[in-house]
Amino acid sequence: APLNEEFFQKCRAEFYDCPKNVLAQNVCTRIDPFDACLSRKTLENTQHVFTYKIENEGKPLTNQKSSGRCWLFAALNCIRIPFIKQYNLDEFEFSQAYLFYWDKIERANYFLNNVVETAKRGEAVDGRLVSFLLSDPTCDGGQWDMLVNLINKHGVMPKKCFPESYSCEASTRMNSVIKSKLREYAKDLRQLVADGATDEEITEKIRKQMNEIYNVVGICLGIPPEKFTWECYDKSKKYLTIGPIRPIDFYEKYVKPYFNVDDKVCLVTDPRSSNLYGRSYTVDCLGNVVGGRPVLYNNQPVELLLDLVTKALKFGEPVWFGCEVNKRFAGKQGIEDLNIHDFKLVFGVDIQTTMDKADRLLYGESMMTHAMVFTGVSVDPNSQKPTKFRVENSWGEDRGEKGYLIMSADWFKEFVFEVVVDRSIVSQDVLDVFDLPPIVLPAWDPMGTLAK
């Protein structure tokens, strides 16, 4: 039924009859409504002190700026910790721009191959799948398996040897150029398939299209050198030089012995009744390297993820993870806590946690949006269960404790969806799940949104 004037008059009268509504209105029309909801008591009870903390956290604190490269920053922040320790460095960054460059190239090619595959499947251009793919042909986000594809194919290099560019730090303009061309190319490729072109003819067409994409990306990001020489001083002021060397050889010889991406496994927790624990899943059309490893999710209860993250941190190993960062999050203070906001006090209604995790996924209220790194944990002295975590973010030093956030274990249970740990601490029965044929989730499933 339509809303009528009688309804509006009733709502208006009831609103102004409540002094609390008037007070909340006076406050929230002058400041950020979420700041008005901050719980003073929770702020008082939050301290950035932890039972276990990574011995040598990486420096400097990184900043992805106006880009969606959190997954790359988080991964490289993990990898640099044992690298810094091994080579006795005071501070170090791997080049995020280098992997960003190769992801743009590889992902464009992956998209074009998806266009061909879906056309051969008989998917309509205005059907849900193709429409979804065309809505965002390239983006900045990604998943752990996509990072593994990039490193195993292209290696890594120090940031000094391939620094940031404007379009690394603010990717919107570059992405708009690439997206425009990819949609144009998609039309041409679908027409070739419809006309019965051979695989060789289609491959040749993609090669010509990718040559143009290569030029666009190279203009915006620069083109990484085939070989580089890296020079630095360690903590004792000893001079160190490596190179000339290819990035893949740099990874194999100087990085992989201390952080092997193939030794890590990705576990997710998806409590929807349709997605059973102890099963493997993948997402249709999700990936970045043609012929690379697929994105695989090993679905497990959240309690197992909590235990494994705690175990890894006790061993001094950082943990990459994916979460929904902006729910129950005090940005300036860097606090992820279910009690950090009292929305009901201000608005008369609660939000964000009124449905359980499974229902939030089903109704579009939750999804993975950000990747960061666990570097510390506090445990209850009696139960030894985790109570809070220290989190290295990639938004600069302005939030939290010089860029580090604090997360309660209860927040973890609600808003963390994915962790990456060393396979050595995972039981064999959980590892065996990776050998099961994966169940394919639709391309638009919320478990794939970190790659958007």
Side-chain angles (χ1 to χ4, degrees):
L3 300 177
N4 55 31
E5 185 62 29
E6 180 182 356
F7 172 80
F8 294 136
Q9 290 295 333
K10 178 176 179 292
C11 289
R12 182 184 182 88
E14 290 177 352
F15 182 95
Y16 285 110
D17 280 346
C18 177
K20 185 174 71 66
N21 284 345
V22 177
L23 175 61
Q25 183 186 65
N26 289 342
V27 173
C28 291
T29 53
R30 298 181 62 190
I31 68 171
D32 184 331
F34 276 36
D35 284 347
C37 296
L38 281 175
S39 166
R40 172 75 182 187
K41 186 57 65 178
T42 303
L43 291 174
E44 292 172 355
N45 293 333
T46 301
Q47 299 182 55
H48 285 263
V49 181
F50 300 87
T51 316
Y52 302 93
K53 191 162 77 75
I54 298 295
E55 180 182 359
N56 296 305
E57 292 176 323
K59 294 186 297 184
L61 210 289
T62 56
N63 192 340
Q64 67 190 73
K65 299 194 176 176
S66 299
S67 72
R69 297 175 292 162
C70 60
W71 60 295
L72 296 175
F73 274 74
L76 294 176
N77 286 344
C78 277
I79 297 171
R80 71 174 173 171
I81 288 175
F83 183 85
I84 287 173
K85 182 178 180 180
Q86 174 62 30
Y87 296 101
N88 193 33
L89 304 176
D90 183 47
E91 60 179 43
F92 177 81
E93 283 185 76
F94 288 104
S95 173
Q96 303 92 357
Y98 176 73
L99 291 183
F100 190 53
Y101 169 87
W102 283 116
D103 185 63
K104 286 299 171 191
I105 299 292
E106 295 283 4
R107 196 179 302 207
N109 185 52
Y110 193 88
F111 169 81
L112 295 176
N113 279 266
N114 269 338
V115 167
V116 173
E117 181 189 341
T118 53
K120 289 181 176 180
R121 286 189 207 172
E123 298 282 354
V125 68
D126 57 354
R128 185 169 185 182
L129 176 57
V130 178
S131 294
F132 177 81
L133 296 178
L134 291 172
S135 68
D136 194 7
T138 188
C139 58
D140 294 352
Q143 279 287 351
W144 177 262
D145 288 317
M146 296 162 69
L147 169 100
V148 174
N149 284 334
L150 295 175
I151 291 180
N152 281 336
K153 184 172 181 178
H154 299 289
V156 295
M157 64 192 304
K159 187 169 187 173
K160 295 288 187 182
C161 301
F162 194 66
E164 295 281 272
S165 66
Y166 175 89
S167 291
C168 279
E169 298 178 345
S171 58
T172 300
R173 297 299 192 192
M174 175 186 67
N175 285 343
S176 69
V177 176
I178 299 172
K179 289 177 185 181
S180 179
K181 295 308 295 180
L182 289 179
R183 292 184 182 114
E184 173 192 329
Y185 298 158
K187 178 179 181 296
D188 294 341
L189 290 173
R190 287 182 62 87
Q191 188 62 53
L192 282 178
V193 173
D195 292 343
T198 65
D199 289 345
E200 290 76 17
E201 290 171 329
I202 293 173
T203 297
E204 179 59 26
K205 183 66 172 179
I206 291 176
R207 288 288 184 270
K208 292 179 180 178
Q209 294 170 337
M210 282 305 304
N211 187 74
E212 294 179 347
I213 294 295
Y214 181 94
N215 292 340
V216 170
V217 176
I219 288 168
C220 291
L221 300 182
I223 299 176
E226 294 179 349
K227 291 184 177 182
F228 66 87
T229 298
W230 176 53
E231 299 175 286
C232 72
Y233 293 108
D234 68 11
K235 287 182 180 179
S236 64
K237 305 304 180 184
K238 178 183 176 181
Y239 174 76
L240 172 67
T241 181
I242 295 174
I245 190 171
R246 298 187 307 156
I248 187 62
D249 296 327
F250 179 71
Y251 169 69
E252 292 286 343
K253 185 174 181 179
Y254 295 99
V255 181
K256 189 175 181 178
Y258 313 106
F259 194 107
N260 183 353
V261 293
D262 291 318
D263 287 340
K264 312 301 176 182
V265 294
C266 180
L267 306 177
V268 303
T269 181
D270 178 356
R272 288 174 292 178
S273 59
S274 58
N275 296 352
L276 301 178
Y277 294 134
R279 297 299 301 270
S280 66
Y281 296 85
T282 189
V283 176
D284 193 17
C285 297
L286 179 61
N288 63 342
V289 175
V290 174
R293 65 192 275 181
V295 174
L296 282 181
Y297 297 134
N298 185 329
N299 196 25
Q300 298 293 332
V302 71
E303 291 78 15
L304 177 63
L305 273 64
L306 272 167
D307 290 345
L308 290 173
V309 169
T310 302
K311 183 182 294 187
L313 292 169
K314 286 182 177 181
F315 289 157
E317 296 180 357
V319 177
W320 184 100
F321 73 96
C323 69
E324 183 175 23
V325 67
N326 284 321
K327 297 289 177 66
R328 298 297 174 122
F329 174 48
K332 182 179 179 181
Q333 296 81 5
I335 300 172
E336 312 252 41
D337 191 297
L338 298 185
N339 298 315
I340 193 60
H341 291 115
D342 191 341
F343 294 113
K344 191 168 186 178
L345 176 65
V346 176
F347 295 109
V349 295
D350 208 353
I351 62 170
Q352 299 178 343
T353 57
T354 53
M355 293 185 284
D356 64 26
K357 194 172 188 176
D359 282 339
R360 291 199 308 270
L361 286 168
L362 286 171
Y363 283 87
E365 178 62 12
S366 269
M367 63 185 70
M368 279 191 282
T369 59
H370 193 50
M372 297 183 284
V373 180
F374 289 121
T375 65
V377 62
S378 282
V379 298
D380 182 273
N382 297 317
S383 67
Q384 289 299 298
K385 294 293 185 181
T387 57
K388 62 181 179 179
F389 296 91
R390 179 169 167 87
V391 176
E392 180 181 2
N393 200 4
S394 54
W395 292 346
E397 295 187 356
D398 295 339
R399 299 169 186 251
E401 187 183 66
K402 296 182 178 179
Y404 284 85
L405 314 182
I406 185 169
M407 176 194 298
S408 73
D410 287 339
W411 194 96
F412 182 117
K413 292 176 183 178
E414 292 295 330
F415 297 113
V416 170
F417 293 94
E418 178 179 19
V419 303
V420 172
V421 296
D422 197 274
R423 64 173 55 246
S424 65
I425 67 171
V426 182
S427 64
Q428 189 58 49
D429 62 316
V430 174
L431 293 176
D432 288 344
V433 173
F434 286 107
D435 297 327
L436 299 175
I439 297 168
V440 181
L441 301 173
W444 50 86
D445 191 89
M447 295 307 287
T449 53
L450 187 59
K452 291 298 177 183

